[in-house]
Amino acid sequence: MSTMASSGRLKRFVVLTLGVSLFLGGLAWTVFALMQVKLEDADTAGVLTVLPGFVGLVLGGWGVRVGVQGLRAQRTPEIIAQEIARVVLQTEGRQYKQLLRSGHEAPHGRIDLAFKATSANPSSASVNGSLETVASFYRQLNPGRLVITGTPISQASGSLGGDAGAGKTVLAIALILDLTRERTAVEPVPIRLTAASWHGIEIRSWLISHITSVYGFARRDAQQVVASDLVFPIIDGLDEMEPKGSVNYTSRSAKLMRAIERYETAGNHCRIVITCREAHYQRLISADVQPRKVTHINILPVDAARARQYVQDRVANTPITSQRWNPILTELDLAVSQANAGLATSTPLTQALNTPWRLTLVTTVFQERAADGTYLRDPANLLQLAASGQLYEFLLDRFIGAAVAGPGADGFEIGNLAGHAATDHAFRLDPQKTWKYLANIARYLNSNSTGGAQRFFARRPLSSTDIIPHELWPLRGLRFTRILERIFTACLATTAAVTLWQFFVSRRDFPIAYYLAISILGGMVLTFLSAGKSWPSPMHFDLRWFRTRSHRRRLARDIAATFGASGVVGLGFGLYEWINDTPFGKALTSGVAIGLVMGFVLSITETLREKVIVAHSRSAAGPREVIRMDSIILLLYTLVGFSVGCVLVIKGESKVTWLPALALYGALFGFFSGAGQASLRYWIFLSCSPGRVPLRFMRFLESAYHAGILRISGTAWQFRHRELQDHLATRPLSPPRR
């Protein structure tokens, strides 16, 4: 430390010595110049003001630098972590509410899932807990490395589907909310990451990318909190990284496990939470890639008492519904009595209702009504279906139809779980078309990870879980959509070139051969540079720079730095003019004017381009807003071109017939600047995919989300459960609804 301090003092001494030397040298030069030439009084005053102006410029630049450092010091990692915590509470709270509701019918409460925890230390005894106490349990772990799975199949008495739908994601989100809600200023913020979105990078880089791209924070802020260990990852769905049976030492999940082992600070393991199916996790253990020093939580099956309480709260809470569900309640009451007496309680019905996902399926499917209000199915049939082992497939076959025909099917939305304002009329879903469209999407997602091989394009893995509208174009083919995009853009560029010749260039006697050669070559270059990109990034408005004090300070700092740099350029120009025999007063005025104008223009354009209209980060808005914002920004560029045309018409320098061409110029300028490229890719994909997806695709996905078929993860939709995605992928047509 003393060596570093001595080095710092030496650097400051050298800088101070050089500064004093420059000052004295400049002063000596000024005196010498005055002695050598005969100047008028005004010129003498001008020369004498050069050195003080230079000193003032240096001091001003130094002041800006000190101010920038001070503002950076005020925005500490603790403050940034607190802002991230507020965003996490908002986004994960919406997701948690949607998972509990599973559509419009589910209650506001939650099943208090029980779990059994086993420490990595063989001498430690197992601990029992529940969802309500998971946060306090996690705070006692050291290190805070946790793996959440369902109950092993051997302990589940052969229940259908193993531990699918055991509530792993619900427990993980509950842990996130409880830890974030009760955190202190020095405790890290949990960040939920989807395992299937991992691109093979280190965990810290993954966290930085997620905080930047999903939560919309600046990269510098993300780097600060990650470096300070004020965030930690909760990796959800490790088993969704590859198909069943393809887990080995070289699989993606095994590589992620090795990256998790490298996630440490000063030789100590960092906090991390993983959710995974038990069978998949056991295969990783067999491949010898399981994480070390972890605590393992097994979520226990939902017992008869909890299942009965859930059924009663959700669908048997009135005299009529209680009578309908009486056979099920009676069977569950018998199981509860046997459990209290210490007897075995495993029956086909209790096995069929031993996970939150199956309880959701049962209470959704057997509450479906016909158009006249009568129930389509009798809950008493549950007993026979459970005994025959056909219940799970029966429920999956009818879940979409029942979800579509829920309370929101009358044309009105009961509430918007994504946090947006509710609309009067909902997008009406047809059960058969909904099944068809979702089956097409499910087949595409599953095809991206088949046989243990992950599909890649342009060094990015094609997701097997995320439904992102502007990244779904490979469903139509990896080349077809991009080729159509380039053709369309080239046609627009050609149209713009022709109109430019007709309205402007031809009146200036510019040779048409030269013009065509330049315009065609330029149009082709711009088209192939801007259109047809592998993964265009949507642009959006980032208004957080005007909402919070810290961001306003940073915006003011950047504007001050811009004006400072422009002032240096302006004074340099003024000095150049003065050296070339321009009177000093006029040169100084010109330099100041240029500096002010340049600073103003650069401040406005850089603020809009780098902060307000951005593509490198996205706010935590709904996935539907991504394309909407990108399209609006392209429309703004079009309106700017149209407005310029209106000004020219008013001044008499243009005709009204030129307005469409000027609007086209504005749109092309915006497109070549990056605006609307993702939107154009999305719309071309829709136009060439009739029958595969509906034309009002995002409205369709939003309505499916409200019906409880889909869920939201960051800025992507996902199927409500992976079992549902796999089921749809193998069945292109919907089965009978009865």
Side-chain angles (χ1 to χ4, degrees), residues 617-638:
S617 61
R618 294 178 293 188
S619 59
R624 190 176 174 186
E625 298 299 321
V626 175
I627 293 297
R628 180 180 296 175
M629 286 293 111
D630 190 58
S631 302
I632 290 176
I633 291 174
L634 181 62
L635 178 62
L636 286 180
Y637 278 101
T638 306

Side-chain angles (χ1 to χ4, degrees), residues 555-606:
L555 179 61
R557 177 201 72 195
D558 293 343
I559 291 176
T562 301
F563 269 99
S566 301
V568 172
V569 174
L571 291 179
F573 177 80
L575 181 61
Y576 173 79
E577 291 288 318
W578 176 65
I579 293 175
N580 287 274
D581 299 331
T582 302
F584 182 81
K586 185 177 180 180
L588 181 62
T589 303
S590 300
V592 172
I594 289 176
L596 290 176
V597 172
M598 187 176 179
F600 180 78
V601 172
L602 288 179
S603 297
I604 296 298
T605 56
E606 289 301 307

Side-chain angles (χ1 to χ4, degrees), residues 313-334:
D313 289 342
R314 178 168 179 176
V315 294
N317 47 21
T318 66
I320 295 178
T321 56
S322 179
Q323 183 178 0
R324 287 189 69 241
W325 289 87
N326 185 62
I328 307 303
L329 296 177
T330 301
E331 184 75 12
L332 293 175
D333 283 333
L334 178 60

Side-chain angles (χ1 to χ4, degrees), residues 702-724:
E702 187 78 9
S703 297
Y705 165 76
H706 286 298
I709 303 172
L710 302 178
R711 65 183 183 183
I712 288 178
S713 178
T715 53
W717 282 286
Q718 294 177 345
F719 280 95
R720 175 66 175 80
H721 199 277
R722 185 57 186 260
E723 294 291 316
L724 179 61

Side-chain angles (χ1 to χ4, degrees), residues 226-513:
V226 172
S228 302
D229 287 328
L230 285 177
V231 294
F232 73 96
I234 293 186
I235 302 176
D236 188 23
L238 190 70
D239 54 278
E240 296 177 354
M241 299 187 71
E242 55 251 338
K244 301 176 183 178
S246 61
V247 182
N248 52 53
Y249 188 80
T250 60
S251 60
R252 291 185 69 218
S253 58
K255 293 178 181 178
L256 178 55
M257 281 294 193
R258 292 194 287 275
I260 290 172
E261 281 302 299
R262 296 191 297 268
Y263 179 50
E264 58 182 26
T265 299
N268 297 322
H269 290 294
C270 296
R271 295 188 183 191
I272 196 165
V273 178
I274 305 168
T275 70
C276 183
R277 291 191 188 182
E278 174 65 19
H280 193 99
Y281 184 64
Q282 293 300 327
R283 294 189 186 100
L284 289 172
I285 292 177
S286 301
D288 196 24
V289 290
Q290 79 275 17
R292 272 67 174 178
K293 295 183 179 180
V294 298
T295 300
H296 186 186
I297 279 183
N298 287 119
I299 300 178
L300 301 177
V302 178
D303 57 25
R306 288 182 171 89
R308 189 198 186 284
Q309 187 66 42
Y310 180 84
V311 172
Q312 183 175 4
D313 289 342
R314 178 168 179 176
V315 294
N317 47 21
T318 66
I320 295 178
T321 56
S322 179
Q323 183 178 0
R324 287 189 69 241
W325 289 87
N326 185 62
I328 307 303
L329 296 177
T330 301
E331 184 75 12
L332 293 175
D333 283 333
L334 178 60
V336 172
S337 301
Q338 292 176 346
N340 294 334
L343 302 176
T345 61
S346 178
T347 65
L349 181 63
T350 57
Q351 293 178 17
L353 303 180
N354 66 354
T355 68
W357 169 236
R358 293 174 203 143
L359 282 168
T360 299
L361 290 174
V362 166
T363 52
T364 301
V365 170
F366 281 88
Q367 283 294 101
E368 184 180 0
R369 295 173 182 260
D372 58 358
T374 58
Y375 290 101
L376 293 180
R377 303 171 190 93
D378 186 359
N381 296 332
L382 273 170
L383 300 175
Q384 181 180 357
L385 290 169
S388 63
Q390 301 175 356
L391 178 60
Y392 193 53
E393 186 169 346
F394 176 89
L395 296 174
L396 289 175
D397 283 342
R398 290 154 182 82
F399 173 68
I400 289 182
V404 168
D410 55 2
F412 295 89
E413 292 185 357
I414 297 178
N416 194 319
L417 300 177
H420 309 297
T423 57
D424 292 335
H425 294 280
F427 184 84
R428 300 183 66 89
L429 296 175
D430 178 81
Q432 293 184 348
K433 290 183 178 180
T434 300
W435 183 289
K436 173 186 174 182
Y437 295 143
L438 292 178
N440 289 334
I441 297 172
R443 278 198 307 275
Y444 162 72
L445 294 177
N446 281 13
S447 68
N448 291 333
S449 180
T450 57
Q454 177 70 35
R455 291 179 68 198
F456 283 80
F457 181 74
R459 295 181 295 181
R460 180 189 294 188
L462 300 180
S463 177
S464 59
T465 57
D466 294 346
I467 305 173
I468 304 176
H470 66 276
E471 293 183 1
L472 206 62
W473 56 268
L475 188 151
R476 187 61 180 84
L478 294 177
R479 295 182 179 180
F480 185 74
T481 305
R482 296 165 62 230
I483 291 174
L484 285 183
E485 179 185 343
R486 280 178 170 154
I487 292 175
F488 180 77
T489 308
C491 291
L492 288 181
T494 302
T495 303
V498 171
T499 56
L500 184 63
W501 170 264
Q502 181 179 0
F503 293 141
F504 298 102
V505 183
S506 61
R507 290 168 172 77
R508 290 169 174 78
D509 297 329
F510 191 81
I512 187 172

Side-chain angles (χ1 to χ4, degrees), residues 27-254:
L27 182 61
W29 177 86
T30 304
V31 174
F32 175 76
L34 289 175
M35 293 175 62
Q36 295 296 318
V37 295
K38 185 178 180 180
L39 300 174
E40 299 293 335
D41 292 340
D43 293 336
T44 303
V47 174
L48 291 175
T49 57
V50 172
L51 182 60
F54 177 75
V55 174
L57 179 62
V58 172
L59 293 177
W62 178 77
V64 171
R65 182 175 181 274
V66 172
V68 168
Q69 291 178 342
L71 290 176
R72 286 181 178 177
Q74 291 181 8
R75 188 163 176 76
T76 62
E78 289 77 13
I79 294 177
I80 301 171
Q82 186 176 359
E83 296 177 1
I84 294 176
R86 286 196 292 266
V87 177
V88 168
L89 278 176
Q90 180 183 8
T91 56
E92 297 297 345
R94 288 199 303 260
Q95 180 61 25
Y96 187 62
K97 188 176 181 181
Q98 198 269 350
L99 286 177
L100 289 182
R101 288 188 173 186
S102 183
H104 299 301
E105 273 194 56
H108 295 278
R110 61 186 184 182
I111 302 174
D112 188 18
L113 298 172
F115 64 80
K116 182 178 180 180
T118 305
S119 175
N121 187 358
S123 61
S124 300
S126 59
V127 179
N128 293 327
S130 67
L131 184 144
E132 299 290 345
T133 62
V134 65
S136 59
F137 168 79
Y138 181 77
R139 286 192 175 93
Q140 299 173 4
L141 299 181
N142 187 22
R145 291 160 61 83
L146 183 66
V147 174
I148 302 174
T149 70
T151 303
I153 296 177
S154 59
Q155 298 180 20
S157 302
S159 58
L160 294 174
D163 60 340
K168 299 179 287 294
T169 299
V170 172
L171 186 67
I173 297 180
L175 177 62
I176 292 174
L177 295 177
D178 291 344
L179 290 177
T180 307
R181 195 179 296 114
E182 301 169 2
R183 70 178 290 271
T184 62
V186 296
E187 288 183 331
V189 182
I191 305 292
R192 186 165 66 99
L193 306 171
T194 304
S197 65
W198 183 60
H199 294 168
I201 57 181
E202 295 297 327
I203 302 299
R204 294 187 185 277
S205 300
W206 192 13
L207 280 171
I208 292 172
S209 175
H210 187 83
I211 294 172
T212 302
S213 62
V214 176
Y215 293 154
F217 283 81
R219 186 171 184 83
R220 183 188 304 149
D221 293 347
Q223 290 172 341
Q224 286 191 62
V225 292
V226 172
S228 302
D229 287 328
L230 285 177
V231 294
F232 73 96
I234 293 186
I235 302 176
D236 188 23
L238 190 70
D239 54 278
E240 296 177 354
M241 299 187 71
E242 55 251 338
K244 301 176 183 178
S246 61
V247 182
N248 52 53
Y249 188 80
T250 60
S251 60
R252 291 185 69 218
S253 58

